Amino acid sequence: LVKAHSSGTMYHGQNPKILHGIGYVAKAQSETLQALLSEAFYVLGKLYMLMDRDHVGLITFNNFIHFMHDAGLYGEQITKMQNIFVGVDIDRNGTLDLAEFLCMMFSWGASGEKFDKIFGGCMENALVVDHAFRIMSMAWAKYDSDRSQALEYSELIGFLKAELPDAFSFATAVVDEIYPESIRSVHPLPFRSFMHLLFLLFQRLPGSKSSQIDEKIHEEPDKGGAGPQSAKWKLYVSAFAGLEADFMSLDKSKDGMIDIIEISQLVDLRPTYEKLDILTRLENKFRMVDEDRNNTLDFYEFVALAFLMVQDGTYSE
């Protein structure tokens, strides 16, 4: 036995990398849906941020597969999870936002699979998520009377009032944000938006641990504004500013070019067990973007390198 994260002791079959990344062991105060979801959403939020290896507020397919392998899922389980990923990726952009991620986790449990490996072998976290989703599913079925996987406004309010009575007084603002009157008069609330709504509600409850979850994971790049005033434009401006700063910090010789040695020096700071994997992928991608084959990258080639590395979650590393 060796000391682990806040659970105290780590046992055979547990994954120290995932346990440390989540750094929390769930313990619901009661068996009520509110108590269970409070703990479940917190550990799911931590898991979401752990899968988002480049901290961009989205989980790419490659990041997802990398995490599944780290967690010890192989063969049929990987194939099953891939199919769920594709199924919940509503906008078909190859990434999952928070709401899609929550739906993926719910679908995984609903398919009869367990969460233990996904949570690094922490049975407490796995069980609280499984239990919360089971009770929530039964509660949802009472209000989704036509089995449409969507709730009318009156059904949603009925669910919140009856199933989450202590949280209901804080629900109005979140409901108006996720399900405004202009939409509720035309369309029922789909399950994806319902999951997002619940997460936000628990995040905003006074004293909630979920308030610690990075607010950036809720941003929607396509929401609001046009042109330079749009959220997506501002996101790109911020991203390129970050890339410029990274390029300048890597360019030790200040000649406007960087080489593989300058980048590799940063990888040397990583733990030994990660270093070889990162260097192998880095060198391969470096060759792919070095169009003039001079073994150096200008800024625009560096941007191409960053794009490739973000896709498999190695840019931040």
Side-chain angles (χ1 to χ4, degrees), residues 24-196:
Y24 180 78
V25 177
K27 185 178 181 180
Q29 297 300 310
S30 71
E31 291 294 300
T32 65
L33 181 58
Q34 179 162 322
L36 290 166
L37 282 178
S38 178
E39 291 292 284
F41 279 140
Y42 180 61
V43 294
L44 286 166
K46 298 278 282 186
L47 182 66
Y48 179 80
M49 295 176 70
L50 185 60
M51 286 192 188
D52 176 21
R53 299 173 69 190
D54 283 303
H55 316 298
V56 297
L58 293 168
I59 300 173
T60 66
F61 187 74
N62 286 329
N63 279 3
F64 164 73
I65 294 299
H66 189 280
F67 181 90
M68 290 298 110
H69 285 150
D70 273 354
L73 273 70
Y74 296 97
E76 291 183 3
Q77 284 189 311
I78 284 283
T79 301
K80 187 174 186 177
M81 191 61 108
Q82 286 176 326
N83 291 336
I84 294 175
F85 184 107
V86 172
V88 301
D89 180 17
I90 304 298
D91 47 16
R92 298 292 184 264
N93 64 355
T95 65
L96 298 187
D97 61 20
L98 174 67
E100 291 167 333
F101 165 77
L102 293 173
C103 289
M104 179 177 71
M105 291 294 100
F106 179 85
S107 297
W108 180 252
S111 72
E113 296 288 352
K114 298 184 182 300
F115 293 98
D116 51 339
K117 287 185 178 180
I118 294 174
F119 282 105
C122 179
M123 295 305 299
E124 293 90 343
N125 291 346
L127 289 172
V128 81
V129 170
D130 181 71
H131 197 182
F133 280 170
R134 286 178 185 275
I135 294 179
M136 191 191 75
S137 179
M138 290 187 289
W140 167 277
K142 290 191 292 186
Y143 297 90
D144 181 22
S145 55
D146 58 0
R147 302 295 184 267
S148 64
Q149 288 298 299
L151 295 181
E152 300 289 346
Y153 177 71
S154 60
E155 294 172 329
L156 172 64
I157 296 301
F159 177 98
L160 296 173
K161 187 179 293 186
E163 308 299 333
L164 305 171
D166 296 334
F168 180 70
S169 59
F170 300 94
T172 301
V174 178
V175 171
D176 288 342
E177 178 181 338
I178 301 298
Y179 192 33
E181 189 171 356
S182 59
I183 296 178
R184 72 179 71 141
S185 60
V186 181
H187 300 293
L189 183 75
F191 187 74
R192 171 185 178 277
S193 298
F194 172 78
M195 293 293 280
H196 191 187

Side-chain angles (χ1 to χ4, degrees), residues 214-234:
D214 190 349
E215 184 69 23
K216 289 186 296 186
I217 63 178
H218 302 309
E219 291 178 359
E220 298 178 29
D222 295 318
K223 185 177 180 181
Q229 301 306 314
S230 69
K232 181 172 286 188
W233 186 295
K234 293 175 182 177

Side-chain angles (χ1 to χ4, degrees), residues 63 221 226 244 270 285 310 312:
N63 279 3
E244 287 178 332
R270 303 294 299 182
K285 291 176 174 58
V310 163
D312 68 8

